[in-house]
Amino acid sequence: MSAQPAENPDSARASLEALRTEIAKAVVGQDPAVTGLVVALLCRGHVLLEGVPGVAKTLLVRALAASLQVDTKRVQFTPDLMPSDITGSLVYDARTAEFSFQPGPVFTNLLLADEINRTPPKTQASLLEAMEERQVTVDGTARPLPEPFMVAATQNPVEYEGTYPLPEAQLDRFLLKLTVPLPSREDEIGVVTRHAEGFNPRDLHAAGVRPAAGPADIEAARAAVAKTTVSAEISGYVVDICRATRDSPSLTLGVSPRGATALLSTARAWAWLTGRDYVTPDDVKALALPTLRHRIQLRPEAEMEGVTADSVITAILAQVPVPR
């Protein structure tokens, strides 16, 4: 049964919350990653999912796609993938003696960029314009992408063989970087039990995953998020957190102003999802790690001492004064 278009913000919120229920039919646990995907959808952002092989990164995005009434395409990133394989190219038609544009898989609503760090930087960079400008330029002609448009990319940890670190400009295009950890014992038992009962991850329809939201729900939700109140104190709190990263002795690169606006946007979306029309400091704290962890660079000596991006951000959150 198709999801009905949202007529008001409350029904839009209910539709987006229903995504969790549908995704849970395919993926056990991983609630923070599911939340991040929904938040990114509300913020017109993109998501990078990082985790070791076998923790359901790809399945998570496929389950989201099955839960939405939108077009979706998947690109398996490999070392020999060319930029035109993603964006499209001009194709010569011998019958008309003219070139015509053949759209690539990026012309969709939800693009699953699977194992994005297994392709060289030149091909990774082919997504820069699409992710930032929502368009693709080929042969001097800009072609707009459909709305909504979201890239959900997966990658293995960078220390794995055969991977290419994403350039800083590419990382900065992602609204959120979500870590997908190994499941707890209880969740892993749930995964094994499902498979023993016949669950087939390649057939989500048979698993009962159904569309719970469509473009109308997403637009209604975005409009409601835009009306969520942000006080001057909260704006100052976000800026203070980001500026503190630039003064951290553990970092060579702190969060840019774009990162500050991203943190404000994600906190706003999370506040609305939880049923409030105003943002609190706790909303900012809840989204700080996934929004900022990929926007900072550790000093080599700090990495050798075991310092992580998450530990630096956590320490900053503990130090920056919280507005009343």
Side-chain angles (χ1 to χ4, degrees):
M1 180 176 169
S2 299
Q4 295 298 314
E7 296 180 356
N8 56 64
D10 290 335
S11 61
R13 185 186 290 113
S15 296
L16 290 172
E17 284 293 335
L19 290 177
R20 296 172 179 272
T21 303
E22 296 303 316
I23 294 173
K25 295 176 182 177
V27 180
V28 178
Q30 307 298 2
D31 288 342
V34 174
T35 297
L37 286 168
V38 175
V39 166
L41 199 61
L42 291 174
C43 297
R44 291 181 169 85
H46 311 288
V47 174
L48 179 63
L49 296 134
E50 182 179 271
V52 299
V55 291
K57 300 186 298 296
T58 302
L59 180 60
L60 189 60
V61 181
R62 288 180 54 239
L64 173 67
S67 304
L68 292 170
Q69 287 180 304
V70 297
D71 292 330
T72 180
K73 289 186 174 69
R74 174 180 177 177
V75 176
Q76 185 67 47
F77 280 70
T78 57
D80 60 348
L81 194 72
M82 299 297 291
S84 59
D85 294 329
I86 301 170
T87 60
S89 59
L90 294 176
V91 178
Y92 181 72
D93 188 339
R95 292 174 300 176
T96 62
E98 294 179 348
F99 285 92
S100 61
F101 179 67
Q102 184 67 37
V106 74
F107 286 86
T108 187
N109 297 121
L110 176 59
L111 177 67
L112 168 53
D114 212 8
E115 295 188 295
I116 191 173
N117 63 335
R118 288 199 179 278
T119 198
K122 179 180 179 181
T123 304
Q124 294 172 6
S126 65
L127 283 173
L128 288 176
E129 182 186 17
M131 294 172 70
E132 183 65 20
E133 307 295 337
R134 290 333 200 248
Q135 67 179 27
V136 168
T137 302
V138 176
D139 195 35
T141 301
R143 295 173 170 86
L145 295 172
E147 185 63 37
F149 173 70
M150 174 178 169
V151 174
T154 71
Q155 72 169 15
N156 295 321
V158 292
E159 62 268 16
Y160 269 61
E161 185 176 351
T163 59
Y164 299 84
L166 294 180
E168 287 78 12
Q170 179 84 59
L171 280 172
D172 200 45
R173 295 303 194 276
F174 287 101
L175 180 72
L176 300 172
K177 180 183 178 183
L178 305 172
T179 56
V180 184
L182 290 166
S184 65
R185 182 175 184 273
E186 291 73 19
D187 285 343
E188 193 164 359
I189 289 174
V191 171
V192 173
T193 300
R194 284 191 181 187
H195 280 260
E197 293 173 349
F199 171 70
N200 181 0
R202 287 167 291 280
D203 188 355
L204 297 182
H205 185 79
V209 181
R210 299 291 184 269
D217 302 292
I218 296 170
E219 281 306 309
R222 288 173 173 176
V225 169
K227 296 177 182 177
T228 302
T229 302
V230 179
S231 67
E233 290 77 14
I234 291 295
S235 295
Y237 182 51
V238 168
V239 169
D240 289 343
I241 291 171
C242 295
R243 292 180 67 85
T245 65
R246 302 169 203 165
D247 298 327
S248 171
S250 299
L251 303 178
T252 59
L253 178 68
V255 178
S256 68
R258 183 191 303 199
T261 61
L263 179 54
L264 189 62
S265 295
T266 56
R268 208 177 196 182
W270 175 240
W272 180 80
L273 270 176
T274 53
R276 281 177 285 103
D277 60 357
Y278 59 92
V279 181
T280 69
D282 286 340
D283 297 323
V284 176
K285 289 181 178 180
L287 273 298
L289 287 178
T291 308
L292 304 181
R293 59 163 61 107
H294 57 299
R295 304 176 191 272
I296 60 177
Q297 282 186 0
L298 292 167
R299 293 187 180 277
E301 55 268 30
E303 286 190 89
M304 292 177 63
E305 294 172 2
V307 176
T308 65
D310 283 12
S311 66
V312 171
I313 295 170
T314 300
I316 287 172
L317 290 175
Q319 294 168 3
V320 175
V322 180
R324 293 183 178 275

